[in-house]
Amino acid sequence: MTADPVPSEPVRVPMSTALLATRVVAILRAGDSARAEAVVDVLVDGGIRCIELTMTTPGALDVVERLAARVADVVDLGVGTVLTAAEVDRAVDAGACFVVSPSVVPAVIGAAARHGIASYPGALTPTEIHGAWSLGASAVKLFPAGSFGPGYLAALRAPLPHIPIVPTGGIGAGEAAAWLDAGAAALGMGGPLIGDAMTATGDLGALAERVRAVCAAVAGAGR
């Protein structure tokens, strides 16, 4: 009887050192991208070093391309809501060094690996998380994390301690420490961090305050 072949390890691009160090991905999602670069400047000035612009934001790839020419040496730029391999190609052409998906899409994970960039697929259950990791995810985005809480992450981490998990969805500065203490590798932070800053009349000063609060909370948690 022939033995079953031993499955080979997937090609896996690791999480970036910037994300491992700062442990926050700032997520920009809006109906208009006109304010995106001003928002990114506030995020970078406050210490955020990993920024995701979602494909659902009109003009997101154009913004990534402009930012890549200006701040890519100090910031990891990524594209979110990536659902196809073709979108991975477009993100890479724009200058992205990671892609994020709301679900587990094998073609996206594979395309990211071929380009040598990190991939963060979204998953919720142990089966989905393990499946994403087995396909070569750099880490797994726990989504929608805010609906379940840090206790759910701690429960997942017990049988899956080797898989880095990035909770995303509804997480603000007040919850950051609890998620990191529960074992999060990093946090994806959108609306609670960005607030109204992407709108034409949004308060960039208030955004700067939230960035300071988030970075302070993360600095003292989960090490």
Side-chain angles (χ1 to χ4, degrees):
M1 182 179 293
T2 303
D4 291 336
V6 177
S8 59
E9 284 295 313
V11 175
R12 191 186 318 281
V13 178
M15 296 175 67
S16 73
T17 54
L19 182 53
L20 288 170
T22 60
R23 300 188 292 171
V24 175
V25 181
I27 303 166
L28 277 59
R29 183 191 303 275
D32 189 298
S33 62
R35 222 49 198 307
E37 288 168 87
V39 168
V40 168
D41 287 341
V42 173
L43 294 170
V44 173
D45 286 346
I48 301 294
R49 292 293 179 265
C50 194
I51 297 171
E52 168 193 342
L53 287 95
T54 68
M55 290 288 287
T56 54
T57 301
L61 293 180
D62 292 334
V63 174
V64 170
E65 188 169 6
R66 290 195 298 270
L67 288 169
R70 187 162 62 87
V71 299
D73 56 335
V74 295
V75 177
D76 286 346
L77 296 170
V79 175
T81 322
V82 173
L83 298 174
T84 68
E87 289 180 342
V88 175
D89 296 341
R90 292 169 60 198
V92 170
D93 288 344
C97 65
F98 68 90
V99 292
V100 184
S101 303
S103 57
V104 181
V105 185
V108 168
I109 298 171
R114 287 194 298 275
H115 282 291
I117 67 169
S119 174
Y120 305 112
L124 181 63
T125 69
T127 299
E128 293 169 348
I129 291 168
H130 182 260
W133 184 250
S134 297
L135 289 168
S138 304
V140 181
K141 178 176 88 168
L142 180 64
F143 178 79
S147 300
F148 292 84
Y152 181 65
L153 173 62
L156 289 170
R157 293 280 297 157
L160 302 171
H162 60 294
I163 301 178
I165 297 177
V166 182
T168 304
I171 299 173
E175 300 81 46
W179 283 103
L180 291 166
D181 289 342
L187 304 172
M189 306 182 77
L193 173 60
I194 305 302
D196 68 354
M198 287 285 285
T199 66
T201 58
D203 189 340
L204 295 179
L207 171 62
E209 290 294 332
R210 289 191 296 273
V211 170
R212 281 191 285 271
V214 164
C215 289
V218 168
R223 293 295 191 188

